[in-house]
Amino acid sequence: MSVKLEDIAKETGFSISTVSRVLSNSNYPVSEQIREKVVHVAERLGYEPNIAARSLRTDRTNTIGILVDDLLSPFTPPIVRGIQDYLNKTGFLSLIVNSDWDPDQEQAAIKTLLSRPVDGIIFVEYSHQTASDVLERSNKPHVFVHRLFGSPIKNSVVPDDYHGASLATTHLIDLGHRRIGYINGPENWHTCRARLSGYQDTLAGHHLPFESSLVQPGDWEIESGYAGALNLLKLAVRPSAIFAANDPMALGAIYAIQDAGLRVPEDVAVVGYDNRNFTKTVRPRITTVSMPVIEMGGVAAELLLRQIAEGRKEEEEIKVKGQLIIRETCGASEEARTQEEPDSRTLFRRVLFNKQPED
Amino acid sequence: MSVKLEDIAKETGFSISTVSRVLSNSNYPVSEQIREKVVHVAERLGYEPNIAARSLRTDRTNTIGILVDDLLSPFTPPIVRGIQDYLNKTGFLSLIVNSDWDPDQEQAAIKTLLSRPVDGIIFVEYSHQTASDVLERSNKPHVFVHRLFGSPIKNSVVPDDYHGASLATTHLIDLGHRRIGYINGPENWHTCRARLSGYQDTLAGHHLPFESSLVQPGDWEIESGYAGALNLLKLAVRPSAIFAANDPMALGAIYAIQDAGLRVPEDVAVVGYDNRNFTKTVRPRITTVSMPVIEMGGVAAELLLRQIAEGRKEEEEIKVKGQLIIRETCGASEEARTQEEPDSRTLFRRVLFNKQPED
DNA sequence: GTGAAAGCGCTAACAT
DNA sequence: ATGTTAGCGCTTTCAC
């Protein structure tokens, strides 16, 4: 059915080995004329290498496995996309498996991935801090990408939460705010401690006093942002700005401010964290710090491919910095707003609109 | 390194073929004692079949390719997830490639997928109505999943737009509305004509007159929903409800209604379409009709696997029905609201919260 | 610089 | 019911 090396060998009159040497891009010396002819015939016949056969020989497959928590999680697709974009440059493909945070499914998925022709594995938002014994024993390179690890681990890619919180706090201070409330996530999370430190250190850096009453606890959900903001508004001197450790809590805070009869950002400015999709859809559009998910995916892919090429090793955790996305809730001037790309949906429509058939 | 059939054969004393027959689940007869022993030893040694070798032999890989428009499109991850969930039951895995609506990338991706060991391909939100010649010639089974095809095509899975629009319209009529505005998407789209028909036919079915002034044009974006609603509110007798052909336009309509000093749903009820993520985040939460993306993915996977097993054939397009998701903008009673599952993010936190290490 | 031949791990046809 | 053997398409020694 499909054309193989043998066909090209027959057609050109050269041996299978020579053809292979040309077509597999080995740096084995082949005379220029032969190379040219082989490439030409291969193209004419539409040759595509049989990867299964190649893998069997080389034990390399140019395929990696990605074990994701759940493709429906908001941060997972962009991480995966970041990985794929990097892979794409190198001819690698990715096999994706969901774990649904179920330890059994995770183990099963790892086994599945290991039996497949994959050269390495990326764990996206994996619920453990280490891979399984099976993986360790297999000696396949593997790296972790996670937003919320409890502590630094080897070969992982994580966001720089401290830096992100500093960006947000600095921005509010630059806008003239002196009393800035902070709605935190669950205190025992590493992520939240890092963001809190970023907030505190930035205040200190600007010689602003830190008041513990300005820090409200939250649990990441909208309702806790609402409650936290309500507490902040009840303070004797209410803050003129609120920074929330994630976007849902920022949205909750906005609702609380509005329900109290105040305006965002005129009376109280709000900045969120993560750059969730809804932050550009709601009114007013939420100023936030981006979770650099696409970049994190890219860095993870790069790290993994390097280890595939050079062998497994233990590398220190890599921190990736997010960016401040200035929109409407912080009260910055229109000119200061961040220029944003049209999202993929818009692009999609733009393409389809033009080719929607008359049918 | 890894354990293979030969190792198990040596260990048990049986031949490689016998071991293979047991471990590959062929229905070839093997005595019960041998089977038991082989399985046991395989397990002890941690045997995992080398899929590359198996594929080379059988020309079957239990892997399919998924060519997606862009993993970052809002509808793509759930479609893919639906596919994967079905595959998971059958031991198939999926290789995912993005096309970014670029014809060159699409062709390249198809070639890549074909050279790989894949048994079939699913096109998700593909920008053409047919696959490439290359694919046709390859004779690999392939199916399409799309929300917006211009006309019915073979081996495709699509939403039942007519039915969805009927659900929304019926719901509003049941709530007592008699004048219902409709904000349409681009008229030349098959999808929009189907939704418009659903709306019109449902009105007719309830003996309500159809007024062309109640139908406003839109282009899927928030702004056009805003503009359309504004026109509707200016009517001599304004509608008491507005049905928008998608959620962003419904949101735009809500903003227009609010800006006109009216309340949603008390003064004007609103129903959207697609069940986009933000519809459960905004205030008030938007009543909508679900785009059955996960189901569509599942149906597509089922269709493809059947064709892989039984051979390619031309099957009629399959329509999948969405559901009415009753939330706050339609004005239905609280008891009537649709019960919703916690989303995956919440689930994720629930798991992580419990195992967040003390570190 | 080129060709012949071995073999990666597995399955299946054939032989017993 | 079990074993022997050929061969899937490719890469890579080895020989020339």
Side-chain angles (χ1 to χ4, degrees), chain B residues 169-192:
Chain B
T169 312
T170 303
H171 179 60
L172 288 169
I173 294 173
D174 287 348
L175 289 171
H177 296 284
R178 290 297 170 265
R179 279 180 69 74
I180 301 171
Y182 177 62
I183 302 177
N184 202 3
E187 281 179 355
N188 55 332
W189 290 45
H190 181 265
T191 299
C192 301

PDB file of all heavy atoms in Angstrom, chain B residues 169-192:
ATOM      1  N   THR B 169     -36.693  28.516  22.864  1.00  0.00           N
ATOM      2  CA  THR B 169     -37.918  29.255  22.576  1.00  0.00           C
ATOM      3  C   THR B 169     -39.098  28.696  23.358  1.00  0.00           C
ATOM      4  O   THR B 169     -39.889  29.436  23.956  1.00  0.00           O
ATOM      5  CB  THR B 169     -38.209  29.200  21.059  1.00  0.00           C
ATOM      6  OG1 THR B 169     -37.010  29.514  20.348  1.00  0.00           O
ATOM      7  CG2 THR B 169     -39.292  30.199  20.698  1.00  0.00           C
ATOM      8  N   THR B 170     -39.195  27.378  23.381  1.00  0.00           N
ATOM      9  CA  THR B 170     -40.277  26.736  24.131  1.00  0.00           C
ATOM     10  C   THR B 170     -40.220  27.136  25.603  1.00  0.00           C
ATOM     11  O   THR B 170     -41.240  27.449  26.224  1.00  0.00           O
ATOM     12  CB  THR B 170     -40.151  25.193  24.028  1.00  0.00           C
ATOM     13  OG1 THR B 170     -40.167  24.836  22.652  1.00  0.00           O
ATOM     14  CG2 THR B 170     -41.285  24.509  24.767  1.00  0.00           C
ATOM     15  N   HIS B 171     -39.007  27.137  26.138  1.00  0.00           N
ATOM     16  CA  HIS B 171     -38.840  27.481  27.555  1.00  0.00           C
ATOM     17  C   HIS B 171     -39.376  28.886  27.832  1.00  0.00           C
ATOM     18  O   HIS B 171     -40.117  29.101  28.808  1.00  0.00           O
ATOM     19  CB  HIS B 171     -37.361  27.386  27.921  1.00  0.00           C
ATOM     20  CG  HIS B 171     -37.065  27.741  29.348  1.00  0.00           C
ATOM     21  ND1 HIS B 171     -37.607  27.064  30.413  1.00  0.00           N
ATOM     22  CD2 HIS B 171     -36.270  28.706  29.891  1.00  0.00           C
ATOM     23  CE1 HIS B 171     -37.174  27.595  31.550  1.00  0.00           C
ATOM     24  NE2 HIS B 171     -36.357  28.590  31.268  1.00  0.00           N
ATOM     25  N   LEU B 172     -39.030  29.816  26.977  1.00  0.00           N
ATOM     26  CA  LEU B 172     -39.490  31.196  27.191  1.00  0.00           C
ATOM     27  C   LEU B 172     -41.004  31.288  27.058  1.00  0.00           C
ATOM     28  O   LEU B 172     -41.671  32.005  27.820  1.00  0.00           O
ATOM     29  CB  LEU B 172     -38.791  32.145  26.201  1.00  0.00           C
ATOM     30  CG  LEU B 172     -37.307  32.388  26.513  1.00  0.00           C
ATOM     31  CD1 LEU B 172     -36.612  33.114  25.372  1.00  0.00           C
ATOM     32  CD2 LEU B 172     -37.154  33.185  27.822  1.00  0.00           C
ATOM     33  N   ILE B 173     -41.542  30.567  26.090  1.00  0.00           N
ATOM     34  CA  ILE B 173     -43.001  30.582  25.921  1.00  0.00           C
ATOM     35  C   ILE B 173     -43.665  29.988  27.157  1.00  0.00           C
ATOM     36  O   ILE B 173     -44.643  30.520  27.683  1.00  0.00           O
ATOM     37  CB  ILE B 173     -43.410  29.799  24.653  1.00  0.00           C
ATOM     38  CG1 ILE B 173     -42.884  30.523  23.408  1.00  0.00           C
ATOM     39  CG2 ILE B 173     -44.935  29.647  24.585  1.00  0.00           C
ATOM     40  CD1 ILE B 173     -43.085  29.771  22.113  1.00  0.00           C
ATOM     41  N   ASP B 174     -43.108  28.896  27.659  1.00  0.00           N
ATOM     42  CA  ASP B 174     -43.652  28.258  28.859  1.00  0.00           C
ATOM     43  C   ASP B 174     -43.628  29.206  30.048  1.00  0.00           C
ATOM     44  O   ASP B 174     -44.458  29.120  30.951  1.00  0.00           O
ATOM     45  CB  ASP B 174     -42.843  27.001  29.215  1.00  0.00           C
ATOM     46  CG  ASP B 174     -43.129  25.854  28.249  1.00  0.00           C
ATOM     47  OD1 ASP B 174     -44.098  25.974  27.468  1.00  0.00           O
ATOM     48  OD2 ASP B 174     -42.380  24.864  28.262  1.00  0.00           O
ATOM     49  N   LEU B 175     -42.644  30.112  30.066  1.00  0.00           N
ATOM     50  CA  LEU B 175     -42.559  31.071  31.175  1.00  0.00           C
ATOM     51  C   LEU B 175     -43.537  32.228  30.981  1.00  0.00           C
ATOM     52  O   LEU B 175     -43.562  33.162  31.781  1.00  0.00           O
ATOM     53  CB  LEU B 175     -41.127  31.608  31.298  1.00  0.00           C
ATOM     54  CG  LEU B 175     -40.083  30.616  31.826  1.00  0.00           C
ATOM     55  CD1 LEU B 175     -38.673  31.183  31.687  1.00  0.00           C
ATOM     56  CD2 LEU B 175     -40.367  30.263  33.290  1.00  0.00           C
ATOM     57  N   GLY B 176     -44.288  32.157  29.906  1.00  0.00           N
ATOM     58  CA  GLY B 176     -45.334  33.166  29.713  1.00  0.00           C
ATOM     59  C   GLY B 176     -45.004  34.249  28.697  1.00  0.00           C
ATOM     60  O   GLY B 176     -45.813  35.141  28.453  1.00  0.00           O
ATOM     61  N   HIS B 177     -43.832  34.190  28.112  1.00  0.00           N
ATOM     62  CA  HIS B 177     -43.470  35.236  27.152  1.00  0.00           C
ATOM     63  C   HIS B 177     -44.191  35.040  25.824  1.00  0.00           C
ATOM     64  O   HIS B 177     -44.344  33.917  25.351  1.00  0.00           O
ATOM     65  CB  HIS B 177     -41.955  35.244  26.933  1.00  0.00           C
ATOM     66  CG  HIS B 177     -41.204  35.592  28.181  1.00  0.00           C
ATOM     67  ND1 HIS B 177     -41.113  36.872  28.659  1.00  0.00           N
ATOM     68  CD2 HIS B 177     -40.547  34.804  29.082  1.00  0.00           C
ATOM     69  CE1 HIS B 177     -40.414  36.871  29.791  1.00  0.00           C
ATOM     70  NE2 HIS B 177     -40.073  35.625  30.074  1.00  0.00           N
ATOM     71  N   ARG B 178     -44.651  36.144  25.261  1.00  0.00           N
ATOM     72  CA  ARG B 178     -45.371  36.090  23.994  1.00  0.00           C
ATOM     73  C   ARG B 178     -44.631  36.860  22.907  1.00  0.00           C
ATOM     74  O   ARG B 178     -44.756  36.581  21.734  1.00  0.00           O
ATOM     75  CB  ARG B 178     -46.799  36.661  24.167  1.00  0.00           C
ATOM     76  CG  ARG B 178     -47.712  35.776  25.006  1.00  0.00           C
ATOM     77  CD  ARG B 178     -47.939  34.417  24.323  1.00  0.00           C
ATOM     78  NE  ARG B 178     -48.604  33.445  25.190  1.00  0.00           N
ATOM     79  CZ  ARG B 178     -47.959  32.535  25.915  1.00  0.00           C
ATOM     80  NH1 ARG B 178     -46.638  32.479  25.898  1.00  0.00           N
ATOM     81  NH2 ARG B 178     -48.620  31.670  26.649  1.00  0.00           N
ATOM     82  N   ARG B 179     -43.895  37.868  23.320  1.00  0.00           N
ATOM     83  CA  ARG B 179     -43.060  38.595  22.349  1.00  0.00           C
ATOM     84  C   ARG B 179     -41.609  38.290  22.684  1.00  0.00           C
ATOM     85  O   ARG B 179     -41.072  38.754  23.689  1.00  0.00           O
ATOM     86  CB  ARG B 179     -43.310  40.106  22.435  1.00  0.00           C
ATOM     87  CG  ARG B 179     -44.559  40.542  21.691  1.00  0.00           C
ATOM     88  CD  ARG B 179     -44.774  42.036  21.808  1.00  0.00           C
ATOM     89  NE  ARG B 179     -43.786  42.851  21.075  1.00  0.00           N
ATOM     90  CZ  ARG B 179     -43.770  42.988  19.764  1.00  0.00           C
ATOM     91  NH1 ARG B 179     -44.641  42.355  19.010  1.00  0.00           N
ATOM     92  NH2 ARG B 179     -42.867  43.765  19.194  1.00  0.00           N
ATOM     93  N   ILE B 180     -40.978  37.499  21.831  1.00  0.00           N
ATOM     94  CA  ILE B 180     -39.609  37.053  22.089  1.00  0.00           C
ATOM     95  C   ILE B 180     -38.699  37.524  20.961  1.00  0.00           C
ATOM     96  O   ILE B 180     -38.894  37.156  19.803  1.00  0.00           O
ATOM     97  CB  ILE B 180     -39.552  35.515  22.181  1.00  0.00           C
ATOM     98  CG1 ILE B 180     -40.483  35.031  23.306  1.00  0.00           C
ATOM     99  CG2 ILE B 180     -38.121  35.037  22.414  1.00  0.00           C
ATOM    100  CD1 ILE B 180     -40.674  33.534  23.353  1.00  0.00           C
ATOM    101  N   GLY B 181     -37.745  38.368  21.305  1.00  0.00           N
ATOM    102  CA  GLY B 181     -36.804  38.833  20.294  1.00  0.00           C
ATOM    103  C   GLY B 181     -35.755  37.767  20.016  1.00  0.00           C
ATOM    104  O   GLY B 181     -35.491  36.907  20.864  1.00  0.00           O
ATOM    105  N   TYR B 182     -35.180  37.825  18.837  1.00  0.00           N
ATOM    106  CA  TYR B 182     -34.135  36.852  18.498  1.00  0.00           C
ATOM    107  C   TYR B 182     -32.960  37.578  17.877  1.00  0.00           C
ATOM    108  O   TYR B 182     -33.115  38.359  16.941  1.00  0.00           O
ATOM    109  CB  TYR B 182     -34.688  35.807  17.519  1.00  0.00           C
ATOM    110  CG  TYR B 182     -33.649  34.799  17.055  1.00  0.00           C
ATOM    111  CD1 TYR B 182     -33.027  33.953  17.962  1.00  0.00           C
ATOM    112  CD2 TYR B 182     -33.291  34.709  15.715  1.00  0.00           C
ATOM    113  CE1 TYR B 182     -32.068  33.031  17.549  1.00  0.00           C
ATOM    114  CE2 TYR B 182     -32.330  33.782  15.285  1.00  0.00           C
ATOM    115  CZ  TYR B 182     -31.727  32.956  16.211  1.00  0.00           C
ATOM    116  OH  TYR B 182     -30.780  32.054  15.808  1.00  0.00           O
ATOM    117  N   ILE B 183     -31.781  37.364  18.438  1.00  0.00           N
ATOM    118  CA  ILE B 183     -30.575  37.946  17.856  1.00  0.00           C
ATOM    119  C   ILE B 183     -29.819  36.826  17.174  1.00  0.00           C
ATOM    120  O   ILE B 183     -29.344  35.887  17.829  1.00  0.00           O
ATOM    121  CB  ILE B 183     -29.699  38.607  18.938  1.00  0.00           C
ATOM    122  CG1 ILE B 183     -30.514  39.683  19.674  1.00  0.00           C
ATOM    123  CG2 ILE B 183     -28.458  39.222  18.298  1.00  0.00           C
ATOM    124  CD1 ILE B 183     -29.772  40.343  20.820  1.00  0.00           C
ATOM    125  N   ASN B 184     -29.732  36.923  15.871  1.00  0.00           N
ATOM    126  CA  ASN B 184     -29.178  35.843  15.058  1.00  0.00           C
ATOM    127  C   ASN B 184     -27.670  36.009  14.846  1.00  0.00           C
ATOM    128  O   ASN B 184     -27.117  37.084  15.078  1.00  0.00           O
ATOM    129  CB  ASN B 184     -29.886  35.847  13.700  1.00  0.00           C
ATOM    130  CG  ASN B 184     -29.799  34.498  13.002  1.00  0.00           C
ATOM    131  OD1 ASN B 184     -29.256  33.535  13.549  1.00  0.00           O
ATOM    132  ND2 ASN B 184     -30.350  34.430  11.800  1.00  0.00           N
ATOM    133  N   GLY B 185     -27.027  34.954  14.405  1.00  0.00           N
ATOM    134  CA  GLY B 185     -25.635  35.044  13.963  1.00  0.00           C
ATOM    135  C   GLY B 185     -25.630  35.354  12.477  1.00  0.00           C
ATOM    136  O   GLY B 185     -26.681  35.632  11.901  1.00  0.00           O
ATOM    137  N   PRO B 186     -24.466  35.314  11.851  1.00  0.00           N
ATOM    138  CA  PRO B 186     -24.375  35.630  10.420  1.00  0.00           C
ATOM    139  C   PRO B 186     -25.330  34.760   9.598  1.00  0.00           C
ATOM    140  O   PRO B 186     -25.285  33.540   9.685  1.00  0.00           O
ATOM    141  CB  PRO B 186     -22.920  35.283  10.083  1.00  0.00           C
ATOM    142  CG  PRO B 186     -22.200  35.282  11.382  1.00  0.00           C
ATOM    143  CD  PRO B 186     -23.180  34.961  12.445  1.00  0.00           C
ATOM    144  N   GLU B 187     -26.171  35.420   8.817  1.00  0.00           N
ATOM    145  CA  GLU B 187     -27.278  34.738   8.135  1.00  0.00           C
ATOM    146  C   GLU B 187     -26.866  33.636   7.180  1.00  0.00           C
ATOM    147  O   GLU B 187     -27.617  32.706   6.919  1.00  0.00           O
ATOM    148  CB  GLU B 187     -28.070  35.752   7.309  1.00  0.00           C
ATOM    149  CG  GLU B 187     -29.010  36.580   8.130  1.00  0.00           C
ATOM    150  CD  GLU B 187     -29.732  37.558   7.225  1.00  0.00           C
ATOM    151  OE1 GLU B 187     -29.389  37.611   6.030  1.00  0.00           O
ATOM    152  OE2 GLU B 187     -30.615  38.261   7.724  1.00  0.00           O
ATOM    153  N   ASN B 188     -25.681  33.794   6.587  1.00  0.00           N
ATOM    154  CA  ASN B 188     -25.299  32.806   5.583  1.00  0.00           C
ATOM    155  C   ASN B 188     -24.772  31.511   6.203  1.00  0.00           C
ATOM    156  O   ASN B 188     -24.461  30.575   5.504  1.00  0.00           O
ATOM    157  CB  ASN B 188     -24.268  33.386   4.610  1.00  0.00           C
ATOM    158  CG  ASN B 188     -23.059  33.920   5.342  1.00  0.00           C
ATOM    159  OD1 ASN B 188     -23.167  34.331   6.509  1.00  0.00           O
ATOM    160  ND2 ASN B 188     -21.910  33.904   4.706  1.00  0.00           N
ATOM    161  N   TRP B 189     -24.701  31.472   7.530  1.00  0.00           N
ATOM    162  CA  TRP B 189     -24.228  30.247   8.164  1.00  0.00           C
ATOM    163  C   TRP B 189     -25.378  29.274   8.326  1.00  0.00           C
ATOM    164  O   TRP B 189     -26.452  29.630   8.805  1.00  0.00           O
ATOM    165  CB  TRP B 189     -23.625  30.543   9.546  1.00  0.00           C
ATOM    166  CG  TRP B 189     -22.332  31.268   9.488  1.00  0.00           C
ATOM    167  CD1 TRP B 189     -22.032  32.349   8.709  1.00  0.00           C
ATOM    168  CD2 TRP B 189     -21.160  30.985  10.234  1.00  0.00           C
ATOM    169  NE1 TRP B 189     -20.747  32.741   8.929  1.00  0.00           N
ATOM    170  CE2 TRP B 189     -20.185  31.929   9.861  1.00  0.00           C
ATOM    171  CE3 TRP B 189     -20.839  30.020  11.195  1.00  0.00           C
ATOM    172  CZ2 TRP B 189     -18.905  31.935  10.406  1.00  0.00           C
ATOM    173  CZ3 TRP B 189     -19.571  30.034  11.745  1.00  0.00           C
ATOM    174  CH2 TRP B 189     -18.615  30.981  11.350  1.00  0.00           C
ATOM    175  N   HIS B 190     -25.106  28.062   7.980  1.00  0.00           N
ATOM    176  CA  HIS B 190     -26.065  26.985   8.107  1.00  0.00           C
ATOM    177  C   HIS B 190     -26.618  26.923   9.537  1.00  0.00           C
ATOM    178  O   HIS B 190     -27.823  26.846   9.769  1.00  0.00           O
ATOM    179  CB  HIS B 190     -25.367  25.675   7.754  1.00  0.00           C
ATOM    180  CG  HIS B 190     -26.243  24.480   7.816  1.00  0.00           C
ATOM    181  ND1 HIS B 190     -26.328  23.673   8.922  1.00  0.00           N
ATOM    182  CD2 HIS B 190     -27.106  23.958   6.909  1.00  0.00           C
ATOM    183  CE1 HIS B 190     -27.190  22.707   8.691  1.00  0.00           C
ATOM    184  NE2 HIS B 190     -27.667  22.850   7.481  1.00  0.00           N
ATOM    185  N   THR B 191     -25.701  27.000  10.492  1.00  0.00           N
ATOM    186  CA  THR B 191     -26.036  26.982  11.906  1.00  0.00           C
ATOM    187  C   THR B 191     -27.106  28.007  12.260  1.00  0.00           C
ATOM    188  O   THR B 191     -28.048  27.718  13.000  1.00  0.00           O
ATOM    189  CB  THR B 191     -24.762  27.338  12.709  1.00  0.00           C
ATOM    190  OG1 THR B 191     -23.791  26.341  12.430  1.00  0.00           O
ATOM    191  CG2 THR B 191     -25.030  27.414  14.185  1.00  0.00           C
ATOM    192  N   CYS B 192     -26.929  29.210  11.739  1.00  0.00           N
ATOM    193  CA  CYS B 192     -27.836  30.296  12.095  1.00  0.00           C
ATOM    194  C   CYS B 192     -29.204  30.097  11.459  1.00  0.00           C
ATOM    195  O   CYS B 192     -30.233  30.382  12.070  1.00  0.00           O
ATOM    196  CB  CYS B 192     -27.247  31.633  11.666  1.00  0.00           C
ATOM    197  SG  CYS B 192     -25.654  31.920  12.441  1.00  0.00           S
TER     198      CYS B 192
END
